[in-house]
Amino acid sequence: MSEAILQTAGLGKRFGGRWAVKDLNLEVNAGDVFGFLGPNGAGKSTTIRMILTLLLPTSGNVRIFGKDARENRRSVLSRVCGIVEKPDFYLYLSAYKNLEILGSLTRKVKRDEIFGALEIVGLDSRAQDKVKTFSHGMKQRLGVAQAILTKPDLVILDEPTSGLDPQGMKEVRELVLKLSKEHGTTVFLSSHLLTEVEAVANRMAVLNHGELIAQGPVSDLLGGDSSYYSIQASPVEGAVQILRKNPWVEIVSVGNGIDVRIESKRAAELNKLLVTNGIDVASFAAKRTLEDYFLKITEGASEV
Amino acid sequence: MSLLSIEIRKTFRRWRTYIGFIVVAGAVILLEVIIKLNETRMAQNFSHGLSGDFLISGSVLNAWVITAFIMNSLYIHVPFLIALVAGDMVSSEATSGTLRFILIRPPSRSNIITAKFFAMLFYTALLILFLGALCVGIGLAFFGGGDLISFQTGMPHIVILPAHVAAASTVMAFLAAILSMSVVGSLAFLFSTLVDNSIGPIIGSIAVVILSFIIGNLPFEFLESLRPYLFTTYMGIWQLLLNSPVDWGEVGKYALALLGYDAAFFAIAYFVFVRKDIKS
Ligand SMILES: Nc1ncnc2c1ncn2[C@@H]1O[C@H](COP(=O)(O)OP(=O)(O)O)[C@@H](O)[C@H]1O
Ligand SMILES: [Mg+2]
């Protein structure tokens, strides 16, 4: 049985007359890598700010390690750390000094620990350079180093891969998995990229316009083995006719290209089917954007 | 590291913090060099200003006289240098986004704002002491010691402090000036918690200081009734200490008023900061 490490109950925040986040009930269990998915402006950062006591909730509360986060702020936050929005540091101080100052707010940090954290994110050789000289990607990595420096039990990362190149994104994802597997750290990670959540998370919640749309194991929510593909083929009509004859192919839309939903393991089969029937396939790509996911969720809802 | 030492370190790692020290050093050195170059003429003018029957030991233009003179000329300008740092104390971290990183860690907001306030006071004290040490140091090197002749607004107009008390009086005057300037610092600090930019608090607090100086000095009766409520009224506390005899009752009253303003400005800053939604 896993225990809830982070729970929000009826959590909401209103800015002026608008609810940025409304009636949010999240549950993150020990050991989870929890993906918090939502498009820009969905309310992810606002939620994270409330969790980390930066914003006073308009409604509801946050419990971390079973305790109210505001009432037990000190003890709770000594075991939690993270990044909220873009990574901002004291630009006039070195990376080392930044970590020393921030870390020492939580507890005494040793020199080795600071270098350890910097090494994990590959910045140890730049330890003494002023953060002013860092690229966005380096600051993002320093943000992660800052978050894991004091070895918290719960790490909250707000879009940690935003602004990173593909290689950087991959490194951060690997780091998240490593934290989870090797250190047993619970990770709460927000993202607007479905692929990212799918790559690292075991459980996820989807937020849109401040409201929770779905929450559960990633494999359940993403339908496990069926997925969307986008096909560029010519002639289009011919391709559609062939696809129609195969009941295991669900045609989602026909426009510029053809969007279909099939079991992932039959992707190669579908490609071959088209080609052997004399259709030119210019491209055949898995389509896994959040929009598709929303489409799927709303479809699912109307089927009930 | 204690929160206070962290805040002081951060403050003194910033280039902005040294602007005050550089300006003070520049101004003091410039003034004293100019006075030195025109020493004879200025000493003559200065002696003419005094009625003939004063007995003055030492040079008329000596370290203490010049220090008092420089303090008098700078005490309108030093508030700028205080506000430059104090007005940036909280807002700079909002602007830079680092407030988010500090406030998700265990120390309470009360402790953080208090540490920042004391770091601001530390800077204020250091700047004023630096001003004092420089004035006196260069003054002694250039002009030597002597009696402190100061011009007071009350009666009699001219006060002469003998050489052996001049040093002690000057030190006390500078300590009082720290208190006086701390109010400017507190005001700028308060403004700094209200907004997320640095220009606003700096301009805002200076505007308030200048405005209340003007209101306090305009010769209108209805404005005079406001004088007891303006903190600038009490900022001249250091001048009281160059009087002879010192009216300690008055000094105490001024000091209490200044401390009261410090406490009030800090209290508002505290409550604003502790409740504030961090949106930066
Ligand atoms: N300080 C604020 N004042 C007013 N509205 C805000 C503020 N912060 C965020 N919002 C609004 O709340 C919504 C959610 O924003 P945010 O939490 O930043 O979304 P996300 O992190 O998912 O991109 C947006 O519509 C945004 O405009
Ligand atoms: Mg965001």
Side-chain angles (χ1 to χ4, degrees), chain A residues 13 15 45-57 62 69-70 73 77 82-86 156 158, chain B residues 93 97-105 107 109 112 272-280:
Chain A
K13 182 72 188 178
F15 289 118
S45 298
T46 303
T47 303
I48 290 175
R49 280 173 190 264
M50 287 191 283
I51 292 172
L52 293 171
T53 74
L54 292 175
L55 290 179
L56 180 69
V62 176
R70 290 198 153 258
R73 190 178 173 282
L77 291 186
I83 322 176
V84 186
E85 293 192 23
K86 61 182 177 24
I156 296 178
D158 189 6
Chain B
E93 299 228 22
T98 46
L99 212 46
R100 291 200 303 274
F101 280 71
I102 304 179
L103 297 183
I104 63 171
R105 289 183 181 267
R109 292 200 195 178
I112 298 229
V272 168
F273 188 72
V274 167
R275 279 141 212 262
K276 188 178 181 170
D277 265 349
I278 306 300
K279 295 172 177 173
S280 56

Side-chain angles (χ1 to χ4, degrees), chain A residues 30-221:
Chain A
D32 276 352
V33 173
F34 190 94
F36 191 40
L37 183 65
N40 283 330
K44 302 181 297 292
S45 298
T46 303
T47 303
I48 290 175
R49 280 173 190 264
M50 287 191 283
I51 292 172
L52 293 171
T53 74
L54 292 175
L55 290 179
L56 180 69
T58 313
S59 71
N61 63 61
V62 176
R63 297 184 78 77
I64 303 180
F65 311 124
K67 291 187 280 189
D68 185 281
R70 290 198 153 258
E71 284 163 18
N72 303 279
R73 190 178 173 282
R74 193 179 181 93
S75 70
V76 163
L77 291 186
S78 63
R79 296 170 59 195
V80 182
C81 204
I83 322 176
V84 186
E85 293 192 23
K86 61 182 177 24
D88 286 317
F89 290 93
Y90 299 105
L91 299 178
Y92 53 92
L93 297 179
S94 67
Y96 181 90
K97 204 86 202 148
N98 267 281
L99 291 196
E100 185 181 34
I101 283 182
L102 292 171
S104 69
L105 293 174
T106 298
R107 61 166 169 79
K108 269 206 167 62
V109 282
K110 294 192 207 82
R111 196 187 146 77
D112 288 353
E113 288 181 295
I114 297 174
F115 271 102
L118 286 170
E119 198 181 329
I120 287 174
V121 299
L123 286 175
D124 45 329
S125 64
R126 301 291 301 267
Q128 303 304 343
D129 293 355
K130 289 201 171 141
V131 176
K132 186 159 53 188
T133 66
F134 282 19
S135 68
H136 174 79
M138 290 164 75
K139 286 188 210 161
Q140 194 71 275
R141 273 146 59 197
L142 189 60
V144 175
Q146 172 272 149
I148 63 177
L149 175 61
T150 56
K151 306 192 178 57
D153 298 321
L154 170 62
V155 171
I156 296 178
L157 303 172
D158 189 6
E159 309 219 25
T161 61
S162 82
L164 297 187
D165 56 22
Q167 179 59 26
M169 288 171 122
K170 187 164 156 268
E171 283 168 15
V172 170
R173 287 171 197 167
E174 280 165 2
L175 182 61
V176 166
L177 289 172
K178 189 170 150 189
L179 271 181
S180 166
K181 290 208 181 81
E182 290 176 20
H183 302 274
T185 311
T186 305
V187 182
F188 181 96
L189 172 138
S190 82
S191 177
H192 64 275
L193 300 172
L194 182 66
T195 45
E196 179 158 293
V197 168
E198 194 180 22
V200 296
N202 63 313
R203 281 172 33 86
M204 69 187 284
V206 184
L207 193 69
N208 196 25
H209 298 304
E211 295 188 55
L212 188 65
I213 292 177
Q215 179 171 216
V218 172
S219 54
D220 288 4
L221 288 175

Side-chain angles (χ1 to χ4, degrees), chain B residues 83-157:
Chain B
L84 195 62
V85 169
D88 203 31
M89 212 78 205
V90 180
S91 55
S92 71
E93 299 228 22
T95 313
S96 71
T98 46
L99 212 46
R100 291 200 303 274
F101 280 71
I102 304 179
L103 297 183
I104 63 171
R105 289 183 181 267
S108 65
R109 292 200 195 178
S110 333
N111 289 347
I112 298 229
I113 195 74
T114 308
K116 282 189 173 295
F117 185 74
F118 279 97
M120 180 280 289
L121 289 182
F122 180 78
Y123 163 77
T124 304
L126 214 61
L127 185 66
I128 303 301
L129 292 178
F130 177 72
L131 170 65
L134 209 62
C135 282
V136 173
I138 300 179
L140 284 176
F142 280 12
F143 309 98
D147 291 348
L148 170 49
I149 305 155
S150 78
F151 298 85
Q152 291 283 335
T153 37
M155 291 294 269
H157 283 276

